[in-house]
């Protein structure tokens, strides 16, 4: 694969675009023209765990970009439908890869065209400083798996491309065990952080006193695990262990939903907790705690919309 | 005074014995404490003291009297102090601090009630147990009037309402003592019933508060807007149902359905725009009363083997909010 387009140049999109720019011809599809212009003129700088500036093409319309073989759809889940509709009718031979939180992103994209699809989850994180500068913070992996019309070999090829660019990536014959581990982890950590204002820190794993937050975190994760089991998904990692490990590192990561709530932006609630609750109903597993969290975060969003 | 030339023999004059003078100390003279203190102080037969740690408030009360405005206009002479040593021996204490300050407040003032009875009119459950660690005769109480301190010595009286008092089962005040305090409160303008079992009104209020206050605190919505969103209103009902189960397991008969109170309060002419006190606390980054509301229900539930998972979850979230400051 020699031509890649990254649709949506937020933190994750920028990290992909800049790194892949070192091993492929990369373009970025942006929402704002000034963002595209800035990328064309100044390139895209990465700091933090890497330090370089990549040059790349950028435009707000697919027609203005060279036809790619791989499109990484890296916008936020809340923008996914809009971005996918802008790709409608373009690049029928490309493989589109979704990297949104939650599950079901590939299904949203599938409604807008017949592309072959890959599904991915990414654990890397960064901080966006401005339109042309992103800081690479957590160098954790991106996991890629086949979705509509693709095979494990396609997933391996993309994972190798990503790995060759300096990011971490791994392919899986079936992404669901990884995706579900992350879904349960995210549905829990993001909503608890958004409602309490706490970054993902040691409070989330504390179980010593009856009022410690770890009990709620565990309860939410146990509900999620019951849904996964009923859906026939064997989790790749235990979400509680992921939680304990992440908080033991001593860092206090700000989950995106907490950042969204603090900035009074719409959250990815529907793609994360919403997806889990819908799946729970489908398989007939009660998830009263996740429903409680969903109602509270939804109401929190409503509190600043009026 | 009977005149010299009166034909009525003085000793036989009263139709009933003149009420014995009583001394009442209000412990924690915030909004609710002030409503009791000022109204009781309008009675000739009640001497009222107020114990509060806010010096400016105490000084203003001693200088200008304690003033209520809004639902009632009262300016009353109240002896206020921040020094528990100044309190005389009292017949009654009325504890009205925030629930998390009960222990320190009663520890400091218990000496004044060596021969008296102490009532709580605080939010939540568990306050009586704390009082009983320090004093002999305890009165379980629940009060609905509300207000806020708007300036030192001045309290805005927002909502009138009833109060219920009854002996606390573990360390009961004699019922006639409960009646005497209820009578004084009622005569002073705070309608109060003495009841044998005061748990029903208390649990109704606790369930109401625990089902609504934290939803406001966690979402930022006023009471009316919480009730307008069907999923959130259902969450309140879920909390009510768990609370009712925990109350029922103790044989407590609620004196009214908290659901009715929730819907009544949501009316535009009642408390639609009211920000729950817990939301006000969260916005001001003050410790909340969640331990005594959702925490109280959850702990009683655990002890009784009645699950209250939603109260547990809400309790953990609000504690998390407090931990984030």
């Amino acid at each position: 694969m020699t031509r890649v387009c990254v649709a949506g140049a937020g933190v994750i999109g920028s990290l992909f675009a800049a790194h892949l720019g070192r091993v492929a011809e990369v373009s970025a599809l942006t929402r704002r023209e000034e963002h595209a212009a800035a990328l064309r003129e100044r390139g895209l700088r990465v700091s933090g765990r890497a330090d370089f500036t990549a040059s790349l093409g950028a435009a707000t319309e697919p027609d203005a970009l060279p036809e790619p073989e791989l499109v990484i759809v890296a916008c936020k889940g809340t923008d996914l439908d809009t971005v996918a509709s802008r790709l409608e009718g373009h690049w029928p031979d490309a493989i589109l890869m979704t990297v949104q939180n939650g599950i079901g992103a590939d299904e949203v994209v599938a409604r807008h065209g017949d592309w072959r699809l890959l599904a991915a989850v990414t654990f890397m994180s960064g901080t966006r400083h401005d339109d042309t500068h992103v800081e690479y913070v957590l160098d954790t992996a991106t996991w890629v798996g086949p979705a509509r019309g693709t095979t494990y070999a396609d997933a391996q090829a993309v994972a190798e491309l990503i790995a060759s660019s300096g990011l971490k990536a791994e392919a899986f014959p079936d992404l669901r065990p990884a995706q579900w581990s992350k879904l349960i982890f995210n549905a829990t950590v993001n909503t608890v952080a958004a409602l309490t204002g706490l970054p993902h820190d040691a409070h989330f794993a504390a179980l010593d006193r009856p009022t410690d937050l770890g009990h709620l975190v565990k309860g939410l994760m146990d509900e999620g695990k019951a849904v996964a089991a009923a859906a026939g998904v064997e989790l790749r990692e235990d979400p509680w262990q992921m939680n304990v490990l992440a908080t033991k590192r001593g860092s206090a990561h700000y989950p995106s939903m907490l950042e969204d709530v603090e900035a009074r932006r719409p959250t990815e609630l529907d793609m994360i907790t919403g997806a889990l609750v819908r799946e729970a109903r489908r398989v007939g597993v009660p998830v009263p705690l996740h429903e409680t969290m969903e109602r509270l975060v939804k109401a929190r969003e409503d509190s600043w919309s009026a | 005074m009977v005149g010299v030339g009166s034909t009525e023999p003085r000793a036989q004059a009263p139709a009933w014995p003149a009420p014995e003078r009583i001394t009442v100390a209000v412990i924690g003279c915030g909004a609710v404490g002030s409503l009791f203190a000022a109204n009781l102080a309008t009675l000739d037969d009640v001497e009222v003291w107020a114990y509060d740690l806010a010096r400016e408030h105490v000084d203003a009360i001693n200088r200008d009297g304690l003033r209520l405005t809004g639902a009632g206009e009262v300016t009353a002479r109240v002896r206020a102090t921040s020094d528990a040593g100044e309190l005389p021996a009292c017949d009654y204490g009325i504890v009205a601090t925030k629930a998390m300050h009960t222990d320190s407040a009663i520890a400091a003032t218990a000496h004044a009630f060596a021969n008296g009875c102490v009532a709580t009119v605080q939010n939540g459950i568990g306050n009586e147990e704390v009082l009983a660690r320090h004093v002999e005769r305890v009165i379980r109480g629940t009060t609905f009037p509300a207000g806020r301190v708007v300036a030192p010595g001045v309290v805005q009286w927002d909502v009138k309402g009833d109060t219920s008092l009854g002996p606390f089962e573990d360390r009961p005040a004699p019922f006639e003592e409960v009646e005497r305090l209820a009578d004084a409160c009622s005569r002073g303008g705070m309608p109060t019933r003495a009841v044998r079992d005061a748990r029903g009104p208390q649990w109704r209020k606790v369930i109401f508060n625990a089902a609504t206050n934290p939803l406001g605190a966690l979402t930022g919505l006023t009471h009316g807007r919480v009730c307008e969103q069907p999923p959130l209103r259902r969450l309140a009902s879920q909390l009510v149902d768990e609370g009712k189960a925990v109350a029922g397991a103790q044989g407590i008969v609620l004196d009214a359905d908290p659901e009715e109170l929730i819907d009544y309060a949501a009316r535009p002419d009642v408390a639609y725009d009211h920000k729950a006190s817990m939301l006000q606390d969260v916005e001001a980054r003050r410790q909340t009363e969640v331990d005594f509301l959702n925490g109280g229900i959850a702990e009683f539930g655990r002890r009784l083997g009645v699950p209250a998972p939603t109260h547990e979850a809400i309790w953990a979230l609000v504690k998390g909010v407090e931990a984030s400051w």
Side-chain angles (χ1 to χ4, degrees), chain B residues 160-226:
Chain B
K160 288 200 170 190
D162 294 342
T163 300
S164 305
L165 299 177
F168 172 54
E169 298 71 18
D170 297 359
R171 283 206 160 183
F175 192 66
E176 50 278 15
E177 295 293 308
V178 178
E179 284 181 308
R180 190 159 68 133
L181 179 61
D183 172 67
C185 292
S186 295
R187 286 188 291 117
M190 296 285 279
T192 301
R193 292 180 303 155
V195 294
R196 300 271 171 188
D197 184 350
R199 296 177 307 165
Q202 185 173 46
W203 276 74
R204 169 173 57 121
K205 188 179 184 196
V206 164
I207 292 171
F208 166 78
N209 280 335
T212 55
N213 269 355
L215 302 192
L218 290 168
T219 64
L221 295 171
T222 66
H223 179 74
R225 292 196 60 207
V226 164

Side-chain angles (χ1 to χ4, degrees), chain A residues 191-192 195-199 203 210-213 216 288-289 292-293 295-300 302-306, chain B residues 215 218-221 225 229 231-232 234-235 238 291 302 309-310 312-324:
Chain A
T191 54
V192 171
L195 288 172
T196 60
L198 287 169
H203 290 98
T211 51
D212 280 341
L213 201 53
L216 174 62
L289 291 175
T292 296
M293 303 302 279
R295 290 170 186 184
L296 289 171
V297 175
K298 181 76 184 49
R300 182 72 171 269
D302 288 350
S303 76
W304 62 74
S305 68
Chain B
L215 302 192
L218 290 168
T219 64
L221 295 171
R225 292 196 60 207
Q229 290 204 15
L232 211 51
R234 282 200 299 278
L235 182 56
Q238 210 171 304
D291 288 346
R302 274 182 209 167
T310 319
E312 300 266 3
I314 295 287
W315 187 16
L317 287 172
V318 176
K319 295 310 279 181
V321 171
E322 292 177 3
S324 77

Side-chain angles (χ1 to χ4, degrees), chain A residues 120-202:
Chain A
V121 289
T122 184
F123 295 89
M124 63 182 181
S125 74
T127 305
R128 189 179 184 282
H129 289 285
D130 59 45
D131 275 355
T132 60
H133 177 195
V134 63
E135 184 185 338
Y136 186 18
V137 178
L138 280 183
D139 64 342
T140 23
T142 298
W143 294 341
V144 186
R148 185 181 68 184
T150 55
T151 62
Y152 179 39
D154 295 319
Q156 284 175 307
V158 169
E160 277 163 25
L161 177 72
I162 294 171
S164 71
S165 79
L167 296 170
K168 291 182 178 158
E170 203 176 331
F172 294 89
D174 180 359
L175 191 66
R176 293 196 311 161
Q179 216 169 12
W180 272 82
S181 296
K182 190 176 182 196
L183 175 70
I184 295 166
F185 176 87
N186 267 337
T188 302
V189 171
N190 272 284
T191 54
V192 171
L195 288 172
T196 60
L198 287 169
H200 188 215
D201 63 12

Side-chain angles (χ1 to χ4, degrees), chain B residues 24-282:
Chain B
V24 177
V26 170
I27 306 302
C29 200
V32 168
S34 294
L35 298 183
F36 279 94
N39 282 305
L40 281 168
T42 61
L43 299 174
D44 290 337
D45 57 326
V46 180
E47 178 183 338
V48 178
W49 284 73
Y51 170 73
D52 198 281
L53 296 181
R55 287 309 291 263
E56 277 193 4
H57 189 47
V58 161
D59 291 344
I61 294 171
N62 286 330
R63 192 178 59 238
D64 308 321
L66 176 56
R67 201 174 127 217
L68 308 182
T69 174
E73 300 291 330
V74 178
T75 301
R77 280 272 144 225
V78 169
R79 298 279 303 275
T81 180
S82 298
D83 176 3
E86 278 185 18
L87 291 177
C90 295
D91 300 291
Y92 293 101
I94 297 177
V95 179
T97 63
K98 288 261 187 190
M100 51 278 194
H101 304 311
T102 308
D103 194 63
S104 56
I106 193 65
T109 58
H111 61 86
F113 310 111
N115 298 306
C117 304
V118 179
T120 162
V121 291
Q122 297 159 284
N123 276 334
I125 41 187
N127 296 301
E128 292 81 1
E129 285 79 356
V130 175
L131 295 181
R133 292 205 293 264
H134 300 275
V135 296
E136 291 296 324
R137 288 164 294 274
V138 177
I139 299 174
R140 188 190 283 281
T142 302
T143 193
F144 282 92
R148 59 209 142 89
V149 179
V150 289
V154 185
V155 168
Q156 168 73 29
W157 190 353
D158 287 329
V159 190
K160 288 200 170 190
D162 294 342
T163 300
S164 305
L165 299 177
F168 172 54
E169 298 71 18
D170 297 359
R171 283 206 160 183
F175 192 66
E176 50 278 15
E177 295 293 308
V178 178
E179 284 181 308
R180 190 159 68 133
L181 179 61
D183 172 67
C185 292
S186 295
R187 286 188 291 117
M190 296 285 279
T192 301
R193 292 180 303 155
V195 294
R196 300 271 171 188
D197 184 350
R199 296 177 307 165
Q202 185 173 46
W203 276 74
R204 169 173 57 121
K205 188 179 184 196
V206 164
I207 292 171
F208 166 78
N209 280 335
T212 55
N213 269 355
L215 302 192
L218 290 168
T219 64
L221 295 171
T222 66
H223 179 74
R225 292 196 60 207
V226 164
C227 294
E228 255 166 21
Q229 290 204 15
L232 211 51
R233 181 65 184 80
R234 282 200 299 278
L235 182 56
S237 290
Q238 210 171 304
L239 290 162
V240 168
D241 290 345
E242 288 180 8
K244 282 178 177 170
V246 174
Q250 299 167 78
I252 296 170
V253 180
L254 301 183
D255 63 340
D257 191 343
E259 291 280 358
E260 287 167 21
L261 199 55
I262 293 174
D263 289 331
Y264 173 75
R267 284 179 16 186
D269 55 325
V270 183
Y272 180 93
D273 286 322
H274 179 67
K275 280 189 178 181
S277 63
M278 199 182 289
L279 172 55
Q280 296 181 39
D281 288 341
V282 164

